[in-house]
Amino acid sequence: MDICEKVAYIKGLAKGMKLDSESNEGKIIAAIIDLLGDITDEICDIEDACDDMSEQIDAVDEDLSSLEDIIYKDCCDCDDDDCDCDCCEDEVYEVECPACHDIIYLDEDMLAEEGINCPNCGTNLEFDFDCCCDDEDCDCGCCDCEEE
């Protein structure tokens, strides 16, 4: 039994008991029953609004997911470093600006540049990559050693 049904049941009991609405006690009980009805109506309105917002949030979430798939070219759900699909080649990196702490998203081409300006505060950000290995015949791709 939900709240609306319970309040309706109480109203029916009061009517069935032939509550004297002219006595002091009857006036108080009738006022309490009316108040319960008003509270129940408000709760039902809030529940309806929450249901509507939940549906809208679900729709926005689906739209956002579709946009993420387009932006990040997410053609597969692989987390495998050995994956050969094209979508895993264009990785996006998160960089935090040391001045304003804004998160900036960069791809490999942007990282290869000598530096960029933070779009939020304008601070010049420079990137310096050292080779992660000591091999002279390195072709790891983490540095410019394969071009030498």
Side-chain angles (χ1 to χ4, degrees):
M1 203 186 296
D2 68 357
I3 294 173
C4 294
E5 293 169 341
K6 288 179 182 179
V7 171
Y9 176 74
I10 291 171
K11 284 182 180 180
L13 282 176
K15 196 176 247 184
M17 292 175 52
K18 297 181 182 168
L19 188 65
D20 183 15
S21 59
E22 299 301 318
S23 69
N24 291 336
E25 296 84 8
K27 289 179 185 179
I28 290 174
I29 293 173
I32 291 172
I33 292 172
D34 287 342
L35 176 62
L36 287 173
D38 293 342
I39 291 171
T40 301
D41 292 341
E42 289 291 325
I43 290 173
C44 290
D45 290 344
I46 291 170
E47 286 176 346
D48 291 342
C50 285
D51 290 343
D52 290 343
M53 283 195 308
S54 179
E55 289 175 12
Q56 290 175 351
I57 289 171
D58 288 343
V60 168
D61 185 45
E62 288 176 15
D63 292 344
L64 180 60
S65 178
S66 298
L67 285 174
E68 286 174 342
D69 289 346
I70 293 168
I71 290 172
Y72 296 118
K73 299 175 185 167
D74 195 13
C75 67
C76 67
D77 294 329
C78 62
D79 291 328
D80 187 8
D81 292 336
D82 298 329
C83 177
D84 292 332
C85 65
D86 292 337
C87 69
C88 297
E89 291 176 11
D90 297 332
E91 291 191 44
V92 177
Y93 302 94
E94 284 185 12
V95 176
E96 181 177 346
C97 175
C100 67
H101 303 288
D102 191 28
I103 301 295
I104 305 164
Y105 297 95
L106 308 170
D107 61 16
E108 288 187 23
D109 294 335
M110 296 169 79
L111 287 174
E113 296 177 14
E114 297 211 3
I116 64 164
N117 291 331
C118 174
N120 187 40
C121 69
T123 301
N124 187 23
L125 305 174
E126 295 179 8
F127 307 106
D128 183 23
F129 297 100
D130 294 328
C131 183
C132 59
C133 59
D134 294 328
D135 188 3
E136 291 180 13
D137 297 324
C138 174
D139 62 353
C140 64
C142 69
C143 60
D144 295 332
C145 57
E146 61 213 46
E147 296 173 5
E148 296 175 2

